[in-house]
Amino acid sequence: MTFSVITITYQAERCLQRTLDSVSKQSYPHIEHLIIDGASTDQTVPMAQCYQKESRYAVSVLSEPDNGLYDAMNKGLQRATGDYVVFLNAGDAFHSPDTLAKVAAVASFGNEDGAGEHSELPAVVYGDTAVTDAEGNFLHLRRHRPPEQLTWKSFSRGMLVCHQAFYVRRDIAQQFPYDVKYRHSADVDWCIRVMKEAQRRGLQLVNTHAVLANFEEGGDSKQHHRASLRERYQVMSVHYGAVQTFLLHCWFVVRALMGRSGTE
């Protein structure tokens, strides 16, 4: 089983090395690492090229102008050849050196119900995410925690599984390019569409019960918080219906107010 690890970069010299190091330290040997850069002018590309020369894995570096994050992610998807695809963008990291080994073991043997190593590979393998500071130090686990059993309807309550802890079978991933009309929340839409396809095919979504990724606090959705929230509302309305999405968001507001009053 091979993993296609896709890393999107742009002017990322501050945080890229942490990502490269976390891939280099993986104990699992079957990795292709695709680095898709948006024509950076700092040291990002030289760092990636140096890593490419020294890596024991198959590393590809592409640097050219793009039309934003999700356009770059689509380029990575198109080039992937592994059994599973995972996005580990600049600043992100695998949680431990045996992360991919854990994912491979779970994907190979399926759920704990004894599906067996010869069963069809799960559509998605997922886990938890740790939030770190700008230096990669652990702060806390992500507020949204993965459910025991994930379905496409789970994301009606928010993005319960972080993109970096969401491993998708390549044949399914490549079937659904990111919708670039969304500037900040195409990942939410993509994950839902992938899970809908898994249900249509009768394929498993398997929980590793492990922390799989380290995510640096303050990503794109934080930097563009309001725009991201508006887009997520649009995405949820498309997949779950306008009425249900409205009612759910009313409950989110009530829950937030109740939580605030409880701390005063």
Side-chain angles (χ1 to χ4, degrees), residues 41-104:
T41 57
D42 63 0
Q43 290 299 304
T44 298
V45 175
M47 289 170 64
Q49 290 172 336
C50 180
Y51 163 78
Q52 181 182 30
K53 293 177 182 178
E54 298 175 354
S55 179
R56 70 185 192 276
Y57 305 125
V59 178
S60 172
V61 179
L62 172 69
S63 182
E64 63 182 22
D66 56 47
N67 293 317
L69 174 63
Y70 297 114
D71 179 46
M73 291 170 78
N74 280 336
K75 292 179 182 181
L77 274 183
Q78 292 166 5
R79 289 165 172 76
T81 64
D83 297 292
Y84 281 91
V85 171
V86 65
F87 285 89
L88 200 71
N89 292 337
D92 303 330
F94 291 119
H95 185 66
S96 64
D98 63 347
T99 293
L100 289 182
K102 290 178 180 177
V103 175

Side-chain angles (χ1 to χ4, degrees), residues 226-241:
R226 289 188 178 181
S228 177
L229 289 178
R230 285 195 295 269
E231 280 196 357
R232 289 192 181 203
Y233 190 94
Q234 293 172 11
V235 169
M236 291 175 68
S237 295
V238 168
H239 291 288
Y240 305 117

Side-chain angles (χ1 to χ4, degrees), residues 17 19-26 28-35 47-61:
Q17 195 61 51
T19 305
L20 302 180
D21 289 345
S22 82
V23 179
S24 294
K25 293 176 181 177
Q26 288 300 297
Y28 191 79
H30 307 298
I31 302 172
E32 70 166 7
H33 194 179
L34 309 174
I35 301 172
M47 289 170 64
Q49 290 172 336
C50 180
Y51 163 78
Q52 181 182 30
K53 293 177 182 178
E54 298 175 354
S55 179
R56 70 185 192 276
Y57 305 125
V59 178
S60 172
V61 179

Side-chain angles (χ1 to χ4, degrees), residues 20 23 38 40 68-70 100 128 153 188 204 231 241 246 252:
L20 302 180
V23 179
S40 295
L69 174 63
Y70 297 114
L100 289 182
D128 213 336
K153 295 181 181 179
V188 182
Q204 292 180 309
E231 280 196 357
F246 175 76
F252 294 158

